[in-house]
Amino acid sequence: MKKVKVLIDYCRAQIGRPYWCGTYGKTATESYYQAKKKQYPNMYWQSDYYKAYGQKVHDCCGLIKGAMWCKNPDDGAPVYLSSQDHSVKGFYNAATTKGRLTDKTPIIDGTLLFNSSFGHMGVYVGGQVINAKGHAYGVVSEPFIRSRWYYWAICNYFDYEDEEPSGEIMAGDIVRMSTDATVYGKSTKFSAWVYKCDLTVIEVKGNRVVISAAPEKGVTGAVHKKYLTKI
């Protein structure tokens, strides 16, 4: 069984590559396009598929299959295994460790994420979700926002033994701020009471974290994430 790092590294390497419905890491060619267009006529109506020729292509669940079946992230000849050929919901059903995603769900890198209808899936990696989003987007890496995902699962085809729950700070988290923290990009301190509060993370952009002591009353300020601890 491959280590989950293989899945993580594979997904990272596909960012920016094209989306093709029903694919799982093969190199795009004219003949492959014609075969897929015949198989999924309602999904291949755009006129620009030729731009993907020579590149590896995936759909959302194909991203996981590519990691399972390809020798490396750039291998364009995956070895197909029918026993592992799952749909989005099939990956969830095949998992033994899975559930409804809540604020208390511990997320580790390589966790599979699913929307509420099982019409789409992605892979959690370091506070982001890597997913083959669609023809107009290709494979993208987007901030992980819990409200956008409904279910989670540990993929049975990878070994997660060495992975630990992520400590990455993200929108919606509750955090405490260290007393030496200053306003982001400045030497100005926050009001003393802020350091004693449980703070809600409103937005994360790189190292800049927007926080609020009372979300219903608006933003309190922004701080470097190194000063924050999840609680």
Side-chain angles (χ1 to χ4, degrees):
M1 182 184 293
K2 293 180 177 179
K3 293 285 188 181
V4 73
K5 186 177 185 303
V6 172
L7 172 62
I8 294 165
D9 291 345
Y10 186 92
C11 290
R12 282 174 169 157
Q14 308 317 310
I15 296 171
R17 286 175 169 168
Y19 173 102
W20 279 20
C21 179
T23 63
Y24 44 83
K26 283 188 177 182
T27 299
T29 63
E30 171 66 21
S31 61
Y32 193 38
Y33 162 67
Q34 293 297 340
K36 288 298 166 184
K37 185 176 181 179
K38 183 177 180 180
Q39 185 178 7
Y40 302 104
N42 294 331
M43 299 299 295
Y44 282 80
W45 54 269
Q46 297 93 340
S47 61
D48 59 349
Y49 282 88
Y50 66 91
K51 294 180 180 179
Y53 294 172
Q55 300 183 66
K56 284 165 63 71
V57 288
H58 306 78
D59 64 12
C60 65
C61 55
L63 198 59
I64 291 82
K65 297 174 195 176
M68 295 191 300
W69 299 341
C70 291
K71 294 178 181 178
N72 59 63
D74 294 318
D75 172 27
V79 178
Y80 176 81
L81 291 173
S82 60
S83 62
Q84 299 176 347
D85 187 8
H86 298 304
S87 64
V88 174
K89 192 169 186 179
F91 271 108
Y92 183 81
N93 290 340
T96 54
T97 304
K98 59 190 175 184
R100 171 74 169 91
L101 187 65
T102 71
D103 291 341
K104 296 182 180 180
T105 303
I107 301 294
I108 60 176
D109 283 354
T111 297
L112 307 184
L113 299 172
F114 307 83
N115 69 1
S116 60
S117 66
F118 289 107
H120 188 57
M121 68 184 298
V123 180
Y124 177 91
V125 179
Q128 300 285 114
V129 181
I130 300 175
N131 62 108
K133 191 172 182 178
H135 179 77
Y137 305 94
V139 180
V140 299
S141 180
E142 302 176 309
F144 171 58
I145 299 175
R146 287 178 187 255
S147 61
R148 293 182 182 175
W149 302 96
Y150 203 83
Y151 298 102
W152 66 276
I154 296 298
C155 185
N156 277 13
Y157 304 109
F158 294 95
D159 178 6
Y160 289 70
E161 184 177 355
D162 297 329
E163 290 300 310
E164 297 291 338
S166 173
E168 189 72 19
I169 291 172
M170 59 197 71
D173 283 344
I174 306 300
V175 298
R176 279 291 181 95
M177 187 165 60
S178 63
T179 56
D180 58 336
T182 58
V183 176
Y184 189 86
K186 301 179 180 180
S187 58
T188 309
K189 298 281 284 186
F190 290 89
S191 298
W193 61 269
V194 176
Y195 298 93
K196 301 176 183 179
C197 290
D198 293 345
L199 305 167
T200 300
V201 175
I202 304 299
E203 180 184 65
V204 181
K205 287 190 175 181
N207 290 324
R208 183 178 181 271
V209 181
V210 178
I211 54 172
S212 176
E216 69 278 5
K217 295 182 179 180
V219 169
T220 300
V223 62
H224 195 290
K225 67 180 180 182
K226 68 181 180 181
Y227 295 116
L228 301 176
T229 303
K230 291 172 68 172
I231 59 174

Short mmCIF file of all heavy atoms in Angstrom, two decimals, residues 37-84:
data_model
loop_
_atom_site.label_atom_id
_atom_site.label_comp_id
_atom_site.label_asym_id
_atom_site.label_seq_id
_atom_site.Cartn_x
_atom_site.Cartn_y
_atom_site.Cartn_z
N LYS A 37 -15.43 11.84 -25.46
CA LYS A 37 -16.58 12.58 -25.98
C LYS A 37 -17.71 11.63 -26.35
O LYS A 37 -18.89 11.92 -26.12
CB LYS A 37 -16.15 13.41 -27.19
CG LYS A 37 -17.25 14.31 -27.73
CD LYS A 37 -16.73 15.16 -28.87
CE LYS A 37 -17.82 16.08 -29.39
NZ LYS A 37 -17.34 16.95 -30.50
N LYS A 38 -17.36 10.46 -26.89
CA LYS A 38 -18.36 9.46 -27.23
C LYS A 38 -18.98 8.87 -25.97
O LYS A 38 -20.18 8.60 -25.91
CB LYS A 38 -17.72 8.36 -28.06
CG LYS A 38 -18.69 7.29 -28.53
CD LYS A 38 -17.99 6.28 -29.42
CE LYS A 38 -18.98 5.21 -29.90
NZ LYS A 38 -18.31 4.20 -30.78
N GLN A 39 -18.13 8.68 -24.92
CA GLN A 39 -18.60 8.10 -23.66
C GLN A 39 -19.48 9.07 -22.87
O GLN A 39 -20.47 8.66 -22.26
CB GLN A 39 -17.40 7.68 -22.82
CG GLN A 39 -17.75 6.94 -21.54
CD GLN A 39 -16.51 6.51 -20.75
OE1 GLN A 39 -15.37 6.87 -21.10
NE2 GLN A 39 -16.72 5.74 -19.70
N TYR A 40 -19.09 10.36 -22.89
CA TYR A 40 -19.82 11.38 -22.11
C TYR A 40 -20.19 12.55 -23.02
O TYR A 40 -19.67 13.66 -22.88
CB TYR A 40 -18.96 11.90 -20.96
CG TYR A 40 -18.49 10.84 -19.98
CD1 TYR A 40 -17.18 10.37 -20.00
CD2 TYR A 40 -19.36 10.31 -19.03
CE1 TYR A 40 -16.74 9.41 -19.10
CE2 TYR A 40 -18.95 9.36 -18.12
CZ TYR A 40 -17.63 8.91 -18.17
OH TYR A 40 -17.21 7.96 -17.28
N PRO A 41 -21.09 12.36 -23.98
CA PRO A 41 -21.38 13.41 -24.98
C PRO A 41 -21.89 14.71 -24.38
O PRO A 41 -21.66 15.78 -24.94
CB PRO A 41 -22.45 12.75 -25.87
CG PRO A 41 -23.04 11.66 -25.03
CD PRO A 41 -21.91 11.16 -24.18
N ASN A 42 -22.57 14.63 -23.24
CA ASN A 42 -23.10 15.86 -22.63
C ASN A 42 -22.06 16.64 -21.86
O ASN A 42 -22.31 17.78 -21.44
CB ASN A 42 -24.26 15.51 -21.70
CG ASN A 42 -25.46 14.96 -22.43
OD1 ASN A 42 -25.69 15.29 -23.59
ND2 ASN A 42 -26.21 14.10 -21.76
N MET A 43 -20.89 16.05 -21.66
CA MET A 43 -19.84 16.71 -20.87
C MET A 43 -18.72 17.28 -21.74
O MET A 43 -17.89 18.04 -21.25
CB MET A 43 -19.24 15.72 -19.87
CG MET A 43 -20.24 15.17 -18.86
SD MET A 43 -21.00 16.46 -17.84
CE MET A 43 -19.56 17.04 -16.93
N TYR A 44 -18.69 16.94 -23.00
CA TYR A 44 -17.60 17.36 -23.88
C TYR A 44 -18.13 18.23 -25.01
O TYR A 44 -17.99 17.90 -26.19
CB TYR A 44 -16.87 16.12 -24.43
CG TYR A 44 -15.92 15.49 -23.44
CD1 TYR A 44 -16.38 14.64 -22.45
CD2 TYR A 44 -14.55 15.76 -23.48
CE1 TYR A 44 -15.52 14.06 -21.52
CE2 TYR A 44 -13.68 15.19 -22.58
CZ TYR A 44 -14.17 14.34 -21.60
OH TYR A 44 -13.30 13.78 -20.69
N TRP A 45 -18.73 19.35 -24.67
CA TRP A 45 -19.32 20.22 -25.67
C TRP A 45 -18.45 21.44 -25.99
O TRP A 45 -18.65 22.12 -26.99
CB TRP A 45 -20.70 20.69 -25.21
CG TRP A 45 -20.70 21.33 -23.85
CD1 TRP A 45 -20.90 20.71 -22.65
CD2 TRP A 45 -20.46 22.70 -23.54
NE1 TRP A 45 -20.81 21.60 -21.61
CE2 TRP A 45 -20.54 22.84 -22.13
CE3 TRP A 45 -20.19 23.84 -24.32
CZ2 TRP A 45 -20.35 24.06 -21.48
CZ3 TRP A 45 -20.01 25.04 -23.68
CH2 TRP A 45 -20.10 25.15 -22.28
N GLN A 46 -17.42 21.71 -25.15
CA GLN A 46 -16.57 22.86 -25.41
C GLN A 46 -15.64 22.58 -26.61
O GLN A 46 -15.45 21.43 -27.01
CB GLN A 46 -15.73 23.20 -24.18
CG GLN A 46 -16.56 23.62 -22.97
CD GLN A 46 -16.89 22.46 -22.04
OE1 GLN A 46 -16.85 21.30 -22.45
NE2 GLN A 46 -17.23 22.76 -20.79
N SER A 47 -15.04 23.63 -27.15
CA SER A 47 -14.25 23.49 -28.38
C SER A 47 -12.75 23.59 -28.17
O SER A 47 -11.99 23.60 -29.14
CB SER A 47 -14.67 24.59 -29.37
OG SER A 47 -14.41 25.88 -28.82
N ASP A 48 -12.30 23.63 -26.91
CA ASP A 48 -10.88 23.91 -26.66
C ASP A 48 -10.12 22.74 -26.03
O ASP A 48 -9.09 22.93 -25.42
CB ASP A 48 -10.74 25.14 -25.78
CG ASP A 48 -11.44 24.97 -24.43
OD1 ASP A 48 -12.20 24.01 -24.27
OD2 ASP A 48 -11.23 25.84 -23.55
N TYR A 49 -10.63 21.52 -26.19
CA TYR A 49 -9.96 20.39 -25.56
C TYR A 49 -8.57 20.14 -26.12
O TYR A 49 -7.71 19.56 -25.44
CB TYR A 49 -10.82 19.13 -25.68
CG TYR A 49 -11.95 19.11 -24.68
CD1 TYR A 49 -13.18 19.69 -24.98
CD2 TYR A 49 -11.79 18.54 -23.43
CE1 TYR A 49 -14.22 19.70 -24.06
CE2 TYR A 49 -12.82 18.54 -22.50
CZ TYR A 49 -14.02 19.12 -22.82
OH TYR A 49 -15.04 19.13 -21.89
N TYR A 50 -8.33 20.57 -27.34
CA TYR A 50 -7.01 20.39 -27.95
C TYR A 50 -5.90 21.05 -27.14
O TYR A 50 -4.74 20.64 -27.21
CB TYR A 50 -7.02 20.95 -29.37
CG TYR A 50 -7.19 22.45 -29.45
CD1 TYR A 50 -6.07 23.30 -29.46
CD2 TYR A 50 -8.45 23.02 -29.49
CE1 TYR A 50 -6.23 24.68 -29.51
CE2 TYR A 50 -8.61 24.39 -29.53
CZ TYR A 50 -7.51 25.22 -29.54
OH TYR A 50 -7.66 26.58 -29.58
N LYS A 51 -6.24 22.06 -26.35
CA LYS A 51 -5.23 22.76 -25.55
C LYS A 51 -4.62 21.85 -24.48
O LYS A 51 -3.54 22.14 -23.97
CB LYS A 51 -5.85 23.99 -24.89
CG LYS A 51 -6.28 25.08 -25.85
CD LYS A 51 -6.88 26.27 -25.11
CE LYS A 51 -7.33 27.36 -26.06
NZ LYS A 51 -7.93 28.52 -25.34
N ALA A 52 -5.32 20.78 -24.13
CA ALA A 52 -4.84 19.87 -23.09
C ALA A 52 -3.96 18.75 -23.65
O ALA A 52 -3.35 18.01 -22.87
CB ALA A 52 -6.02 19.25 -22.35
N TYR A 53 -3.88 18.62 -24.97
CA TYR A 53 -3.13 17.51 -25.55
C TYR A 53 -1.68 17.54 -25.05
O TYR A 53 -1.03 18.58 -25.01
CB TYR A 53 -3.14 17.57 -27.07
CG TYR A 53 -4.51 17.36 -27.70
CD1 TYR A 53 -4.71 17.55 -29.06
CD2 TYR A 53 -5.60 16.96 -26.94
CE1 TYR A 53 -5.95 17.36 -29.66
CE2 TYR A 53 -6.85 16.77 -27.52
CZ TYR A 53 -7.02 16.98 -28.87
OH TYR A 53 -8.26 16.79 -29.44
N GLY A 54 -1.20 16.38 -24.63
CA GLY A 54 0.16 16.27 -24.12
C GLY A 54 0.25 16.42 -22.61
O GLY A 54 1.32 16.22 -22.03
N GLN A 55 -0.87 16.77 -21.96
CA GLN A 55 -0.88 16.92 -20.51
C GLN A 55 -1.69 15.79 -19.85
O GLN A 55 -2.59 15.22 -20.47
CB GLN A 55 -1.52 18.26 -20.12
CG GLN A 55 -0.83 19.49 -20.66
CD GLN A 55 -1.49 20.75 -20.15
OE1 GLN A 55 -1.46 21.06 -18.95
NE2 GLN A 55 -2.10 21.50 -21.05
N LYS A 56 -1.38 15.50 -18.60
CA LYS A 56 -2.21 14.58 -17.83
C LYS A 56 -3.54 15.24 -17.52
O LYS A 56 -3.59 16.44 -17.22
CB LYS A 56 -1.51 14.20 -16.51
CG LYS A 56 -0.38 13.19 -16.69
CD LYS A 56 0.50 13.12 -15.45
CE LYS A 56 -0.23 12.64 -14.21
NZ LYS A 56 -0.59 11.20 -14.25
N VAL A 57 -4.62 14.47 -17.57
CA VAL A 57 -5.95 15.01 -17.31
C VAL A 57 -6.68 14.14 -16.28
O VAL A 57 -6.45 12.93 -16.18
CB VAL A 57 -6.78 15.11 -18.60
CG1 VAL A 57 -6.26 16.22 -19.49
CG2 VAL A 57 -6.78 13.78 -19.37
N HIS A 58 -7.56 14.79 -15.48
CA HIS A 58 -8.29 14.12 -14.41
C HIS A 58 -9.68 14.72 -14.27
O HIS A 58 -9.91 15.87 -14.65
CB HIS A 58 -7.61 14.32 -13.05
CG HIS A 58 -6.17 13.94 -12.98
ND1 HIS A 58 -5.16 14.73 -13.48
CD2 HIS A 58 -5.56 12.84 -12.44
CE1 HIS A 58 -3.99 14.15 -13.26
NE2 HIS A 58 -4.20 13.02 -12.64
N ASP A 59 -10.60 13.96 -13.66
CA ASP A 59 -11.78 14.56 -13.06
C ASP A 59 -11.59 14.49 -11.55
O ASP A 59 -10.51 14.11 -11.07
CB ASP A 59 -13.08 13.92 -13.55
CG ASP A 59 -13.24 12.46 -13.16
OD1 ASP A 59 -12.47 11.96 -12.31
OD2 ASP A 59 -14.16 11.80 -13.70
N CYS A 60 -12.62 14.85 -10.77
CA CYS A 60 -12.38 15.01 -9.33
C CYS A 60 -12.00 13.71 -8.63
O CYS A 60 -11.05 13.67 -7.85
CB CYS A 60 -13.57 15.68 -8.65
SG CYS A 60 -15.11 14.74 -8.65
N CYS A 61 -12.72 12.62 -8.92
CA CYS A 61 -12.33 11.35 -8.29
C CYS A 61 -11.15 10.72 -9.03
O CYS A 61 -10.40 9.92 -8.45
CB CYS A 61 -13.51 10.38 -8.20
SG CYS A 61 -14.35 10.02 -9.74
N GLY A 62 -10.95 11.11 -10.29
CA GLY A 62 -9.80 10.63 -11.05
C GLY A 62 -8.47 11.10 -10.49
O GLY A 62 -7.43 10.48 -10.71
N LEU A 63 -8.51 12.21 -9.75
CA LEU A 63 -7.29 12.70 -9.12
C LEU A 63 -6.76 11.68 -8.11
O LEU A 63 -5.55 11.44 -8.01
CB LEU A 63 -7.59 14.03 -8.42
CG LEU A 63 -6.43 14.94 -8.04
CD1 LEU A 63 -5.61 15.33 -9.26
CD2 LEU A 63 -6.96 16.18 -7.34
N ILE A 64 -7.66 11.05 -7.37
CA ILE A 64 -7.26 10.04 -6.39
C ILE A 64 -6.84 8.77 -7.10
O ILE A 64 -5.85 8.13 -6.74
CB ILE A 64 -8.41 9.76 -5.39
CG1 ILE A 64 -8.64 10.98 -4.49
CG2 ILE A 64 -8.09 8.56 -4.51
CD1 ILE A 64 -9.47 12.08 -5.07
N LYS A 65 -7.56 8.39 -8.15
CA LYS A 65 -7.21 7.20 -8.92
C LYS A 65 -5.84 7.35 -9.57
O LYS A 65 -5.05 6.40 -9.63
CB LYS A 65 -8.26 6.93 -9.99
CG LYS A 65 -9.64 6.63 -9.45
CD LYS A 65 -10.64 6.54 -10.60
CE LYS A 65 -12.07 6.59 -10.11
NZ LYS A 65 -13.05 6.60 -11.21
N GLY A 66 -5.55 8.55 -10.06
CA GLY A 66 -4.25 8.78 -10.67
C GLY A 66 -3.12 8.55 -9.68
O GLY A 66 -2.09 7.96 -10.02
N ALA A 67 -3.32 9.00 -8.44
CA ALA A 67 -2.30 8.78 -7.41
C ALA A 67 -2.14 7.30 -7.11
O ALA A 67 -1.03 6.82 -6.82
CB ALA A 67 -2.68 9.54 -6.14
N MET A 68 -3.24 6.54 -7.17
CA MET A 68 -3.18 5.10 -6.90
C MET A 68 -2.54 4.33 -8.04
O MET A 68 -1.81 3.37 -7.82
CB MET A 68 -4.60 4.57 -6.65
CG MET A 68 -5.27 5.12 -5.40
SD MET A 68 -6.80 4.25 -4.95
CE MET A 68 -7.82 4.52 -6.41
N TRP A 69 -2.80 4.73 -9.27
CA TRP A 69 -2.48 3.90 -10.43
C TRP A 69 -1.26 4.36 -11.23
O TRP A 69 -0.76 3.61 -12.06
CB TRP A 69 -3.68 3.85 -11.36
CG TRP A 69 -4.91 3.25 -10.74
CD1 TRP A 69 -4.98 2.45 -9.63
CD2 TRP A 69 -6.26 3.39 -11.20
NE1 TRP A 69 -6.27 2.09 -9.37
CE2 TRP A 69 -7.09 2.64 -10.31
CE3 TRP A 69 -6.85 4.05 -12.27
CZ2 TRP A 69 -8.47 2.56 -10.47
CZ3 TRP A 69 -8.23 3.98 -12.43
CH2 TRP A 69 -9.03 3.24 -11.55
N CYS A 70 -0.80 5.58 -11.01
CA CYS A 70 0.37 6.07 -11.75
C CYS A 70 1.66 5.80 -10.96
O CYS A 70 1.67 5.81 -9.74
CB CYS A 70 0.24 7.57 -12.02
SG CYS A 70 -1.06 8.00 -13.19
N LYS A 71 2.76 5.60 -11.67
CA LYS A 71 4.05 5.34 -11.03
C LYS A 71 4.57 6.57 -10.31
O LYS A 71 5.26 6.46 -9.30
CB LYS A 71 5.05 4.88 -12.08
CG LYS A 71 4.74 3.53 -12.71
CD LYS A 71 5.77 3.17 -13.78
CE LYS A 71 5.44 1.85 -14.43
NZ LYS A 71 6.42 1.51 -15.51
N ASN A 72 4.29 7.75 -10.85
CA ASN A 72 4.76 9.00 -10.27
C ASN A 72 3.84 10.11 -10.76
O ASN A 72 2.99 9.90 -11.64
CB ASN A 72 6.23 9.26 -10.64
CG ASN A 72 6.43 9.32 -12.14
OD1 ASN A 72 5.90 10.19 -12.82
ND2 ASN A 72 7.22 8.38 -12.66
N PRO A 73 3.96 11.32 -10.23
CA PRO A 73 3.03 12.40 -10.60
C PRO A 73 3.02 12.78 -12.07
O PRO A 73 2.03 13.37 -12.54
CB PRO A 73 3.51 13.58 -9.73
CG PRO A 73 4.11 12.93 -8.54
CD PRO A 73 4.81 11.72 -9.08
N ASP A 74 4.09 12.48 -12.82
CA ASP A 74 4.14 12.85 -14.22
C ASP A 74 3.89 11.68 -15.17
O ASP A 74 3.89 11.86 -16.39
CB ASP A 74 5.50 13.49 -14.54
CG ASP A 74 5.68 14.81 -13.82
OD1 ASP A 74 4.71 15.60 -13.78
OD2 ASP A 74 6.77 15.06 -13.29
N ASP A 75 3.69 10.49 -14.62
CA ASP A 75 3.40 9.31 -15.42
C ASP A 75 2.02 9.45 -16.05
O ASP A 75 1.03 9.64 -15.34
CB ASP A 75 3.47 8.06 -14.53
CG ASP A 75 3.00 6.80 -15.23
OD1 ASP A 75 3.10 6.74 -16.48
OD2 ASP A 75 2.51 5.88 -14.54
N GLY A 76 1.94 9.35 -17.36
CA GLY A 76 0.68 9.51 -18.06
C GLY A 76 0.05 8.21 -18.52
O GLY A 76 -0.82 8.21 -19.39
N ALA A 77 0.50 7.09 -17.92
CA ALA A 77 -0.03 5.78 -18.30
C ALA A 77 -0.44 4.99 -17.06
O ALA A 77 0.20 4.00 -16.70
CB ALA A 77 1.00 5.01 -19.12
N PRO A 78 -1.50 5.42 -16.37
CA PRO A 78 -1.93 4.71 -15.16
C PRO A 78 -2.34 3.28 -15.46
O PRO A 78 -2.87 2.97 -16.53
CB PRO A 78 -3.13 5.54 -14.68
CG PRO A 78 -3.62 6.26 -15.89
CD PRO A 78 -2.40 6.54 -16.71
N VAL A 79 -2.10 2.39 -14.50
CA VAL A 79 -2.49 0.99 -14.61
C VAL A 79 -3.87 0.83 -13.97
O VAL A 79 -4.01 0.91 -12.75
CB VAL A 79 -1.46 0.07 -13.94
CG1 VAL A 79 -1.92 -1.38 -14.03
CG2 VAL A 79 -0.09 0.24 -14.56
N TYR A 80 -4.88 0.63 -14.77
CA TYR A 80 -6.26 0.58 -14.33
C TYR A 80 -6.54 -0.66 -13.49
O TYR A 80 -6.13 -1.77 -13.85
CB TYR A 80 -7.19 0.62 -15.53
CG TYR A 80 -8.66 0.47 -15.20
CD1 TYR A 80 -9.40 1.56 -14.77
CD2 TYR A 80 -9.29 -0.77 -15.34
CE1 TYR A 80 -10.74 1.44 -14.46
CE2 TYR A 80 -10.64 -0.90 -15.04
CZ TYR A 80 -11.37 0.20 -14.60
OH TYR A 80 -12.69 0.07 -14.30
N LEU A 81 -7.25 -0.49 -12.37
CA LEU A 81 -7.69 -1.60 -11.53
C LEU A 81 -9.19 -1.44 -11.29
O LEU A 81 -9.62 -0.51 -10.61
CB LEU A 81 -6.94 -1.61 -10.20
CG LEU A 81 -5.46 -1.97 -10.24
CD1 LEU A 81 -4.83 -1.77 -8.86
CD2 LEU A 81 -5.26 -3.40 -10.70
N SER A 82 -9.98 -2.33 -11.84
CA SER A 82 -11.43 -2.21 -11.74
C SER A 82 -11.92 -2.26 -10.30
O SER A 82 -12.93 -1.62 -9.95
CB SER A 82 -12.11 -3.30 -12.56
OG SER A 82 -11.74 -4.59 -12.09
N SER A 83 -11.21 -3.00 -9.43
CA SER A 83 -11.63 -3.12 -8.04
C SER A 83 -11.50 -1.80 -7.27
O SER A 83 -12.10 -1.64 -6.21
CB SER A 83 -10.81 -4.20 -7.33
OG SER A 83 -9.43 -3.86 -7.32
N GLN A 84 -10.72 -0.86 -7.80
CA GLN A 84 -10.51 0.43 -7.15
C GLN A 84 -11.16 1.58 -7.94
O GLN A 84 -10.96 2.74 -7.60
CB GLN A 84 -9.01 0.71 -6.99
CG GLN A 84 -8.29 -0.30 -6.13
CD GLN A 84 -6.79 -0.04 -6.07
OE1 GLN A 84 -6.24 0.74 -6.86
NE2 GLN A 84 -6.11 -0.70 -5.16
#
